[in-house]
Amino acid sequence: MVATIGILGGGQLARMLAIAGAPLGHKFLVVDNAEDACAGQVAPLLQADWRDFGPLQGFADQIDVATFDFENVPAETAEWLTTHTRVFPNPAALSVSQDRLLEKTLFAEIGLETPEFSAVDSIQDLRQAVDKVSLPAVLKTRRLGYDGKGQFILRQHSDIDAAWEKLGGVPLILEAFVNFESEISVVAVRSRSGEFRHYPLTRNWHQNAVLSASLAPIVVDEEIQRRAVARARALAERLDYVGVFALELFVCDGQLLGNEMAPRVHNSGHWTIEGTACSQFENHVRAVLGLPLGDTQALGHSVMLNWIGELPDATPILAEARGHWHDYGKAARPGRKIGHATLCADSAEELIERLQRVGRALDREAQVQPVIDVLMNR
Ligand code: AMP
């Protein structure tokens, strides 16, 4: 039976979900309040506000299952949808990951350590939190923050007033600043019947708190690998999660610290489109429809390079064997994710050569070098 999958949010994630789901014969309907939402170029787009239940009723009537490309959909909207259609992941899972305090509290409950943290609702709280967490520390909004938005790094006590000035007035969380060795993520999927699969661990590099590059698979200590996957699984089971999600972790002194969970397909899983037999996007579609999950093993080595603000020339990427280009069809704007490229190879050596050529041709050595360094030292 052909199903129609409704997606709340019409950005690049919805676009890649629709592209991945099309060969399975299913249809998509995307709802977004922007008339030029980029998923609208590949799937029907309903322009509506999240809180406007009139048009959302029309959306709910046309779909068999609803999912999200964006975690900040209002909880009331997700709840309301459950009275009209099936919704995956469930709204409770969504609301935990919308709030950094609830999220970190849950991490602690499932045995995942986190950077020291403290809730902050007033300047007095902030002063006490600085004493508890100590400096340096990162002040973050509890809700609606992503890609480093809504964050302030405090290095000395005299930063307290400026941090409060910038972010005060909404619920906040102060976290210890972690001098991590690396940032990694577990992208995983859980089916409607409770089957759990995970992609190989991915290492991530950020520039200005926005993902710049991802590498997978990575060589990590077996115990770290085992613990990261066990925590992701425990999280999914605790939330009765259905679909793909990402757990972002810091590796610090041989310890794993939970940073955040994204209740959706994730930027650090884009490499799975060409780097595995069944991408995170296809597996999400399979999961929400109750279909068997696909193979998550890596096909060789993959690197994803994010294009932020402007698209470079595609030619050097396309000239590489197993070089793949993704233009999201979005208007270029500073800081905006508008595309990515993935390079795959059978061996680490081959991948290094491809990255070196691409880095030189695009004048992007700074973006590729940290990845090359890790590949050289494996
Ligand atoms: P977030 O939106 O919380 O994922 O933060 C974006 C990025 O900021 C992370 O991927 C890290 O590179 C950096 N970051 C966030 N929290 C911390 C922290 N507590 N210590 C050090 N770096 C952090």
Side-chain angles (χ1 to χ4, degrees), residues 112 184-186 196 201 220 222-234 247 249 256:
L112 173 59
I184 63 172
S185 55
V186 188
F196 174 86
L201 294 195
V220 278
E222 238 174 71
E223 179 54 18
I224 293 260
Q225 157 89 26
R226 191 197 61 73
R227 258 189 285 150
V229 172
R231 298 299 177 263
R233 185 181 196 131
L247 175 60
L249 301 158
L256 277 179

Side-chain angles (χ1 to χ4, degrees), residues 97-135:
S97 50
Q98 284 176 349
D99 183 325
R100 292 184 189 273
L101 186 65
L102 298 182
E103 187 174 64
K104 290 220 159 54
T105 306
L106 175 64
F107 287 175
E109 281 169 24
I110 60 149
L112 173 59
E113 290 183 74
T114 63
E116 179 100 31
F117 64 90
S118 190
V120 171
D121 292 307
S122 65
I123 186 129
Q124 290 80 3
D125 286 352
L126 180 55
R127 290 205 181 92
Q128 280 170 7
V130 165
D131 289 339
K132 178 180 164 205
V133 164
S134 77
L135 295 177

Side-chain angles (χ1 to χ4, degrees), residues 122-190:
S122 65
I123 186 129
Q124 290 80 3
D125 286 352
L126 180 55
R127 290 205 181 92
Q128 280 170 7
V130 165
D131 289 339
K132 178 180 164 205
V133 164
S134 77
L135 295 177
V138 194
L139 187 64
K140 300 181 179 179
T141 56
R142 276 173 58 179
R143 306 175 69 83
L144 299 173
Y146 65 100
D147 287 346
K149 294 181 174 66
Q151 299 192 10
F152 191 105
I153 299 178
L154 289 92
R155 300 192 186 277
Q156 50 215 10
H157 279 82
S158 56
D159 292 335
I160 290 178
D161 286 337
W164 181 255
E165 182 87 355
K166 183 170 171 219
L167 298 179
V170 294
L172 302 169
I173 181 172
L174 186 76
E175 295 176 12
F177 188 88
V178 182
N179 265 323
F180 50 77
E181 282 120 48
S182 63
E183 292 192 77
I184 63 172
S185 55
V186 188
V187 177
V189 58
R190 187 166 175 272

Side-chain angles (χ1 to χ4, degrees), residues 12-13 15-17 19-20 38 41 267 269-275 279-281 303-308 310-314 317-318 322-330 337-344:
Q12 65 268 20
L13 302 179
R15 178 184 171 109
M16 289 185 271
L17 281 168
I19 291 170
C38 74
Q41 295 165 20
N267 200 165
H270 289 2
W271 66 272
T272 63
I273 298 175
E274 295 89 8
S279 73
Q280 62 164 349
F281 299 101
V303 169
M304 191 264 343
L305 300 172
N306 245 5
W307 307 138
I308 316 286
E310 57 172 354
L311 283 181
D313 176 13
I317 299 284
L318 297 176
R322 297 187 70 190
H324 304 277
W325 188 256
H326 295 263
D327 176 341
Y328 304 150
K330 289 162 76 171
K337 292 178 178 172
I338 54 173
H340 76 266
T342 301
L343 292 169
C344 304

